[in-house]
Amino acid sequence: MRFSILAAVLFLSLQQTPAIANNPSPTLDLMPVPARIEIGSGVFVVDEGFTVSIAGEGASPRLHRGIHRMLRRLSDRSTIFFANEVFLDIGDRDAAAMTVTAARIGELKVGEDESYRLQITNSGITLEAATDIGALRGLQTLLQLLRLDERGVTLPVITVDDEPRFPWRGLMIDSSRHFMPVDMIKRNLDGMAAVKLNVLHWHLVDDQGFRVESLALPKLHELASDGNYYTQIQIREIQDYAADRGIRVVPEFDLPGHGTAWLTAYPELASAPGPYEIERSWGIFDPTINPIIEETYTFLDTFFAEMAELFDDEFMHIGGDENNGKHWLANAEIVAFMEENGYNEPLELQRYFNERVLEIFSKYGKRMVGWDEIFVDGLTKSIVIQSWRGRESLFEAAKLGYPGILSNGYYIDLIQPTDFHYLNDPLPEDSDLTPEEAARVLGGEATMWAEYVSPETVDSRIWPRTAAIAERFWSPGSVRDLEDMYRRLDRISLMLEEVGLQHERNRATMLRRLCQCRDIAGLEVLLGAIEPVKVYNRGRLRKHTQFSPLTRMVDAAWPDAVPARQFRWTVERMLDNGFEDQADIEAAMTALQTWEDNHAQIESLLRSSPGLTEIAPLSENLRDVATIGLAALGHARSGGTMGSAAFEASLATLERTAESHGQTELAILAPVKQLVCTVAGPAGESAAGCQPEEDAPASGEH
């Protein structure tokens, strides 16, 4: 009998009993894990009589709206019909089921108090916070605690005392390479609020487009955006939307490199003769702002004066990354300027540029953020270094007195699994920083570079992995249990759909479009065993431009395929316990049998659908790998070993099937190879193909 892969995955997951580390109860699905929890007995039952009151000097309109959103989600999830006054009369009631108290209105600044205390008893709920922003964080915890079961709509009796580990917890969204509409930004702000992130880093300018309306320098958006830009009204609308959720918005205007869009509009500021036009490809390009002419700084003064008025946050991001210096070194006047001032390399000239721009920022009351390249000791300590190079760079800056945030290890566009990001820590326990230096590590940001995402696919690349990253930024550093993280992440991913995120639902739509059919079960089975190629391999395997389709199987595939991961864990358990657990063996065989049978089910579909033909060889490879896995499990089950000829043939097949197709690759190869090597006896122990491979370090270049 042929089981579906979903049944196999469910069976695999039911076999797991996660070892909970620093999580007070396996029944809680909170993410991020709070700092402190005390669990009582019993539940609070939510019914149609549920009411909320609000008190304190922090009873702001922002908090009123936050409570309203909480009630809306509570009602929608539970289908409870609340009376109109539950939504309309959130005031100082004498008797309410829930009381929310905020001592003061919080400020949108680094280090604002976001702590809260949530107490749920059998008879009522109290949420207390120093600021209305802290109260908003507590409301998200309340929604995650909500349960629907045979008891009805309930909340556990519990006391939560919580505050963030880091004050800067961000998500960077790149709107330049592929323009992201306003509704995409808003729904992701809602996702950020749900997992307690507090900074939207908005990458608005790059070689591929200038996305901000400038009334002072209108050619920027008129000539360098293809008509895809945010009006100033829309920017204010998004900032207000973010502020309502306790989220800061930090804009990035990349300079002096990544300068094509700037120079498309104002070529007279270029370091090399034009003409210039918007870049349609991806990579590091030569166009660079001329740093030695005064016209550059007059122009930037005009621009940043306008942006300082438009954007509310204390910080603005200059970018400052990946200036290759080629146009500078090819310009005789710039070279002469460098020689005259003793600058031996472009980075030294860039320091001069940064200092001039920093004067402009300071003039308009803004602090500068920039990527690693802006860091040169001697600049004012008010700047913030965003490190894509790694912790070493971040720590070096901290030791010299500079605050910083980590993004290396959080590049979610590199399609690495959730656990890779989750175990990456801005400030690990073995850090050699003093307490004073450690305090300069402000936190981190996940970075969603947009070369290979569209508004349709971007949510699936951000979520749910960024929820795990958010936990790394909020929760105590000791919270590191991977299996429990994945268990909670599965539930949180569904909760994130409540706020409008499309990471779950769009996949089925994309598959139906590819096959022009309704029956996509076989394609879903295939997706469960494959993943997009990692790091920067997608661009190396096939050239993409701004107009390339992002509707292929690689775009629908999970970055962290759940069925493949569950199979890998099952294999690891079998190897650990010597194949003693028959339930694990049966579960693994069910999954492998499903994968082996699947190619025959979809072969004609793959051959007849132009958008699917490129992954037909991958489907064949999945069948072959599953066949090998079944054979290996058969030997393990019987206690026998695989003959040398079969062993060599199996390794050869596994090596052949490692080739990617359609920029996707099989995600079950490693565990199947583990099985083969284990049942090969002495031959497997000494075979070169069975030795563990070292993972190549992931670059953070962008």
Side-chain angles (χ1 to χ4, degrees):
M1 181 177 180
R2 183 174 184 272
F3 293 90
S4 73
I5 193 69
L6 294 178
V9 170
L10 177 60
F11 188 72
L12 286 168
S13 62
L14 288 175
Q15 304 310 304
Q16 300 183 58
T17 306
I20 309 300
N22 301 290
N23 191 357
S25 170
T27 64
L28 298 180
D29 296 326
L30 297 174
M31 183 171 279
V33 169
R36 292 167 296 280
I37 295 178
E38 181 180 340
I39 298 175
S41 60
V43 296
F44 175 85
V45 178
V46 180
D47 56 26
E48 292 184 359
F50 184 79
T51 55
V52 182
S53 68
I54 185 170
E57 295 297 320
S60 63
R62 171 167 57 197
L63 184 52
H64 276 76
R65 290 188 290 268
I67 293 172
H68 192 280
R69 290 193 299 273
M70 180 273 291
L71 288 167
R72 182 72 272 158
R73 285 181 62 191
L74 195 162
S75 177
D76 288 346
R77 193 190 304 172
S78 67
T79 70
I80 292 176
F81 282 67
F82 290 130
N84 289 344
E85 56 265 24
V86 173
F87 291 96
L88 299 176
D89 184 20
I90 303 171
D92 186 17
R93 289 190 179 93
D94 292 333
M98 178 176 181
T99 301
V100 180
T101 304
R104 62 178 174 84
I105 297 174
E107 298 180 58
L108 289 171
K109 65 179 184 179
V110 178
E112 179 57 288
D113 194 328
E114 298 175 80
S115 65
Y116 65 91
R117 188 169 210 253
L118 175 65
Q119 288 184 291
I120 303 174
T121 69
N122 301 102
S123 57
I125 304 168
T126 59
L127 173 60
E128 300 172 305
T131 66
D132 58 340
I133 296 174
L136 293 177
R137 308 298 182 236
L139 292 174
Q140 297 297 337
T141 300
L142 180 79
L143 284 167
Q144 290 185 4
L145 287 167
L146 191 71
R147 288 293 174 271
L148 313 176
D149 54 31
E150 65 277 359
R151 296 172 297 181
V153 182
T154 65
L155 292 159
V157 171
I158 194 172
T159 298
V160 178
D161 286 293
D162 201 12
E163 72 276 334
R165 181 182 175 205
F166 293 108
W168 191 305
R169 310 179 307 279
L171 168 65
M172 189 219 74
I173 293 178
D174 174 5
S175 288
S176 177
R177 291 176 173 90
H178 282 105
F179 181 71
M180 298 295 159
V182 169
D183 66 336
M184 177 270 168
I185 303 296
K186 285 184 173 181
R187 68 178 183 252
N188 277 277
L189 284 166
D190 282 319
M192 292 172 64
V195 294
K196 303 181 176 65
L197 292 174
N198 66 354
V199 180
L200 171 65
H201 170 179
W202 203 0
H203 188 80
L204 290 163
V205 180
D206 215 300
D207 295 290
Q208 292 78 16
F210 198 98
R211 306 302 184 191
V212 181
E213 179 185 36
S214 173
L215 303 179
L217 300 162
K219 287 195 289 185
L220 287 169
H221 67 271
E222 291 172 351
L223 300 180
S225 72
D226 293 319
N228 293 317
Y229 62 89
Y230 304 99
T231 67
Q232 295 202 3
I233 290 175
Q234 289 174 321
I235 288 171
R236 293 189 185 282
E237 177 187 347
I238 287 171
Q239 286 188 103
D240 290 345
Y241 196 89
D244 227 30
R245 288 145 181 83
I247 297 173
R248 299 165 42 224
V249 177
V250 176
E252 180 182 350
F253 308 101
D254 213 344
L255 287 165
H258 289 280
T260 308
W262 296 93
L263 303 177
T264 297
Y266 292 90
E268 62 271 22
L269 302 178
S271 300
Y276 291 89
E277 58 184 25
I278 298 170
E279 183 58 59
R280 306 302 181 181
S281 298
W282 317 130
I284 300 173
F285 302 100
D286 299 340
T288 312
I289 298 285
N290 190 331
I292 71 167
I293 58 175
E294 284 305 309
E295 291 86 347
T296 289
Y297 303 104
T298 301
F299 169 89
L300 292 177
D301 187 283
T302 300
F303 177 75
F304 285 122
E306 183 180 23
M307 293 302 106
E309 183 69 24
L310 177 62
F311 286 95
D312 299 326
D313 199 74
E314 177 186 6
F315 292 91
M316 287 199 299
H317 203 301
I318 193 181
D321 58 308
E322 297 178 334
N323 171 20
N324 62 24
K326 290 182 179 179
H327 278 191
W328 285 357
L329 296 177
N331 183 314
E333 293 179 353
I334 293 177
V335 170
F337 182 89
M338 291 175 64
E339 292 174 351
E340 180 181 342
N341 289 276
Y343 301 145
N344 297 313
E345 58 179 355
L347 271 179
E348 295 180 11
L349 177 58
Q350 187 163 329
R351 173 179 175 166
Y352 165 80
F353 174 83
N354 292 341
E355 289 173 335
R356 294 291 304 270
V357 175
L358 186 58
E359 290 177 7
I360 297 171
F361 274 35
S362 300
K363 176 180 177 181
Y364 297 110
K366 297 295 183 181
R367 291 178 62 183
M368 179 184 288
V369 188
W371 299 101
D372 280 303
E373 289 90 335
I374 77 161
F375 170 59
V376 180
D377 190 23
L379 285 178
T380 172
K381 301 297 193 295
S382 69
I383 66 171
V384 173
I385 308 300
Q386 183 165 7
S387 180
W388 63 266
R389 290 174 174 166
R391 273 194 299 262
E392 295 77 9
S393 176
L394 183 71
F395 288 180
E396 179 188 356
K399 290 175 180 178
L400 291 171
Y402 294 88
I405 52 180
L406 182 67
S407 281
N408 179 281
Y410 304 123
Y411 271 53
I412 49 180
D413 61 306
L414 300 188
I415 314 297
Q416 289 163 315
T418 310
D419 53 12
F420 173 87
H421 302 300
Y422 186 70
L423 294 178
N424 184 54
D425 197 309
L427 194 60
E429 288 185 1
D430 60 359
S431 149
D432 65 349
L433 299 182
T434 67
E436 182 181 7
E437 292 164 348
R440 299 185 187 116
V441 178
L442 301 179
E445 288 184 358
T447 53
M448 184 65 258
W449 299 106
E451 287 92 338
Y452 302 108
V453 292
S454 68
E456 179 182 42
T457 65
V458 65
D459 290 7
S460 72
R461 297 311 186 235
I462 298 175
W463 308 102
R465 290 178 300 157
T466 295
I469 297 172
E471 178 161 287
R472 179 56 53 233
F473 296 158
W474 179 282
S475 300
S478 57
V479 178
R480 297 173 66 83
D481 187 284
L482 289 180
E483 291 190 19
D484 188 56
M485 177 273 289
Y486 274 115
R487 178 189 64 79
R488 291 179 288 114
L489 187 67
D490 183 60
R491 177 171 170 81
I492 296 302
S493 184
L494 295 179
M495 288 188 189
L496 289 170
E497 284 194 299
E498 292 179 6
V499 299
L501 290 167
Q502 301 172 6
H503 59 295
E504 296 271 2
R505 75 181 191 192
N506 279 3
R507 185 172 291 108
T509 301
M510 296 177 72
L511 294 181
R512 286 192 292 269
R513 180 171 58 223
L514 280 168
C515 72
Q516 290 293 291
C517 64
R518 291 189 177 276
D519 183 5
I520 58 173
L523 294 178
E524 290 180 315
V525 169
L526 180 58
L527 275 187
I530 69 174
E531 292 175 356
V533 293
K534 309 300 182 187
V535 196
Y536 294 101
N537 286 324
R538 182 167 178 176
R540 293 169 185 145
L541 290 169
R542 183 167 187 169
K543 180 177 174 59
H544 284 253
T545 74
Q546 210 169 27
F547 304 115
S548 298
L550 295 170
T551 54
R552 299 158 58 226
M553 199 73 163
V554 61
D555 301 298
W558 280 292
D560 192 355
V562 177
R565 170 167 39 84
Q566 298 283 17
F567 175 74
R568 183 178 72 248
W569 285 356
T570 302
V571 169
E572 290 173 358
R573 287 197 306 275
M574 288 191 298
L575 297 180
D576 287 342
N577 64 32
F579 299 97
E580 293 294 327
D581 191 324
Q582 291 301 310
D584 274 342
I585 293 176
E586 292 292 341
M589 292 190 76
T590 298
L592 287 167
Q593 191 66 62
T594 301
W595 285 323
E596 183 186 49
D597 294 345
N598 192 61
H599 182 66
Q601 308 295 322
I602 64 173
E603 183 174 12
S604 61
L605 181 63
L606 297 177
R607 301 297 180 191
S608 62
S609 302
L612 294 173
T613 55
E614 64 179 350
I615 52 98
L618 202 68
S619 180
E620 295 179 19
N621 290 345
L622 176 60
R623 175 199 61 199
D624 296 343
V625 170
T627 299
I628 291 171
L630 285 169
L633 273 180
H635 288 295
R637 204 171 196 179
S638 66
T641 58
M642 184 179 287
S644 59
F647 171 62
E648 294 296 337
S650 296
L651 282 188
T653 298
L654 293 176
E655 183 177 351
R656 170 181 61 80
T657 55
E659 181 182 358
S660 64
H661 295 275
Q663 290 89 62
T664 61
E665 57 192 6
L666 292 181
I668 67 165
L669 276 178
V672 170
K673 181 183 281 190
Q674 283 181 293
L675 286 174
V676 169
C677 292
T678 300
V679 300
E685 295 175 7
S686 59
C690 291
Q691 303 310 308
E693 299 178 3
E694 292 187 9
D695 293 331
S699 167
E701 65 186 70
H702 46 273

